[in-house]
Amino acid sequence: MSPGFRFEGHASVIFPEAKINPDLPTLGLVGALGGTPVGSGNIGQTAVVPATYASYQVNDRLWLGVSINSPYGFITKPDQNWAGQTYGRSSKAFSINVTPTIGYKVTDWLSIGVGLQVQYLDVTLKRALGLSPLAPAAILEGDAYGVGYTLGLTLTPLEGTEIGLGFRSSIRHQLDGNMRLGPTTVAPIKANVNLPEVLTFGVSQRLSPQWKVMAGVEWTNWSRLNIVPVTSAITGTAVTALPFSYRDGWFFSVGAEYQMTEQLALRAGLGYELSPITDRTRDVRIPDNDRLWASIGATYQWNEQLSFDIGYTHIFVKDTDIRLVPGNPQFAALPFVAEVKPSVDIVSVALKYRWDEPAKPIPAPIVRKY
């Protein structure tokens, strides 16, 4: 958090690209069974992800803050009639977090923060009930509210050195919704979904008045998202299951910032992410793999109260295969083998404004947003 009374508004536009190209034996099998032997087209859907942050400095020790963001979400939508439609026609997950936070400066070298997460989750998954282009759809939809917490601390052991540690708890959601099988059958369902906890560690070191370097590592407990039973809301009996069977995810990053002028700062960084999705668990809804992030950005300080940020990221995702065969938890009778070449571009902008007059120096806080 920062001194005074501040507001930040962020917006990221995400441009994903991923085409699922089935191999020839798969296309031949689908065609022989009466399906449409074609690939998915681009399943990625452009999305705008907003976020806002506000903080208020009560005194030289205490800060109050709130953030509103969307930590989890994706949309994938292949062409309506394609070779893998029995495994996925479209998928959407959307979340929004509201997190009020309290930050406290314990000493000149230690600050701590704690927050309450209130999260809304909405999920819709569609697949075809057959290979025919006219096959009806099975649609699972549900939403829920959940509550969790955040913790954070920042150490400044030396001048110019900051060490941050943040934790975001798991949130348990009990999805309430419906399972639709074709145009006539609708059954109320429930499903318990445990979203992962996240642990983040970061270091920032100022080398000179112009140069600063940063490094970080993040662990996400995606193995919590294993096999999710879907049960009848009336009888409690099993209806289906969502077999994610993910492993834990890791993200490693390094970066540098250069203060080019008093008003303009430039930065760049690299990150490498170990995906929670493996060759054994990959499916057509999220054909993810390990990825390299390359980012550049800049901040322009318009005046003492107003600044602007802009950034661009390209994500290089490893070319990967989908093998929906025996052994894959998503396998359902029909073998499906395909190749995917995904990539993602992200453009982000932000506006930061300080509402109070920064005429008098205020001791700078060191509690970060986590």
Side-chain angles (χ1 to χ4, degrees):
M1 302 176 79
S2 302
F5 179 23
R6 293 179 179 255
F7 168 84
E8 299 181 19
H10 298 244
S12 296
V13 185
I14 303 173
F15 304 93
E17 176 81 18
K19 296 180 180 180
I20 302 174
N21 300 308
D23 66 7
L24 290 177
T26 298
L27 293 178
L29 176 61
V30 169
L33 294 175
T36 305
V38 296
S40 68
N42 181 20
I43 69 171
Q45 300 290 301
T46 300
V48 179
V49 181
T52 58
Y53 305 89
S55 65
Y56 176 72
Q57 183 176 4
V58 179
N59 53 45
D60 63 350
R61 294 281 182 180
L62 182 66
W63 283 260
L64 302 177
V66 65
S67 66
I68 303 173
N69 54 26
S70 180
Y72 306 107
F74 73 96
I75 302 175
T76 54
K77 187 177 182 181
D79 294 342
Q80 175 65 19
N81 299 306
W82 73 293
Q85 66 178 11
T86 58
Y87 287 105
R89 268 186 173 163
S90 67
S91 309
K92 182 185 76 171
F94 166 79
S95 68
I96 185 168
N97 263 32
V98 178
T99 308
T101 305
I102 297 175
Y104 188 73
K105 186 176 180 180
V106 181
T107 68
D108 289 341
W109 54 269
L110 173 63
S111 293
I112 60 175
V114 60
L116 173 70
Q117 294 187 83
V118 180
Q119 185 178 92
Y120 173 73
L121 177 67
D122 181 80
V123 177
T124 302
L125 305 176
K126 299 180 182 180
R127 65 179 182 86
L129 291 172
L131 291 170
S132 166
L134 301 177
I139 304 173
L140 187 153
E141 53 189 357
D143 62 358
Y145 288 92
V147 177
Y149 62 91
T150 62
L151 301 171
L153 64 85
T154 302
L155 302 172
T156 54
L158 301 170
E159 184 178 357
T161 302
E162 292 188 2
I163 301 172
L165 184 66
F167 178 78
R168 188 171 69 219
S169 75
S170 171
I171 296 182
R172 179 182 175 86
H173 288 282
Q174 186 178 71
L175 293 177
D176 291 306
N178 295 293
M179 172 70 81
R180 302 176 182 271
L181 301 176
T184 58
T185 303
V186 180
I189 55 93
K190 290 183 179 293
N192 292 324
V193 177
N194 295 316
L195 293 181
E197 56 265 74
V198 180
L199 182 64
T200 305
F201 174 79
V203 178
S204 171
Q205 177 63 56
R206 183 162 293 282
L207 303 178
S208 71
Q210 288 77 39
W211 283 99
K212 180 168 66 174
V213 293
M214 300 83 73
V217 60
E218 182 174 276
W219 167 77
T220 305
N221 190 18
W222 279 114
S223 57
R224 275 191 176 276
L225 201 60
N226 195 359
I227 296 176
V228 178
V230 179
T231 61
S232 167
I234 299 174
T235 65
T237 56
V239 175
T240 185
L242 303 176
F244 296 102
S245 299
Y246 288 170
R247 67 178 181 181
D248 292 349
W250 289 88
F251 183 76
F252 307 91
S253 61
V254 294
E257 179 179 281
Y258 176 65
Q259 193 70 42
M260 187 173 182
T261 68
E262 186 175 337
Q263 291 178 297
L264 179 63
L266 306 177
R267 61 185 63 88
L270 292 172
Y272 191 78
E273 183 176 2
L274 297 176
S275 173
I277 298 173
T278 66
D279 291 344
R280 189 184 72 85
T281 61
R282 191 173 297 111
D283 70 351
V284 303
R285 297 190 186 277
I286 310 179
D288 194 24
N289 204 347
D290 298 348
R291 52 180 70 185
L292 175 69
W293 298 57
S295 302
I296 57 173
T299 297
Y300 185 77
Q301 191 73 40
W302 183 266
N303 55 36
E304 290 185 323
Q305 292 177 282
L306 178 64
S307 67
F308 302 95
D309 291 345
I310 186 168
Y312 168 73
T313 297
H314 183 79
I315 303 176
F316 302 86
V317 186
K318 289 175 62 177
D319 292 354
T320 188
D321 294 329
I322 296 173
R323 297 187 60 83
L324 288 159
V325 296
N328 188 312
Q330 301 277 357
F331 176 69
L334 179 66
F336 183 86
V337 178
E339 182 185 55
V340 191
K341 295 183 177 181
S343 66
V344 183
D345 292 287
I346 304 173
V347 178
S348 301
V349 294
L351 178 150
K352 301 177 182 178
Y353 188 76
R354 180 169 177 174
W355 292 94
D356 62 319
E357 284 287 342
K360 296 182 179 180
I362 302 173
I366 50 178
V367 177
R368 299 278 187 183
K369 299 191 290 285
Y370 288 114

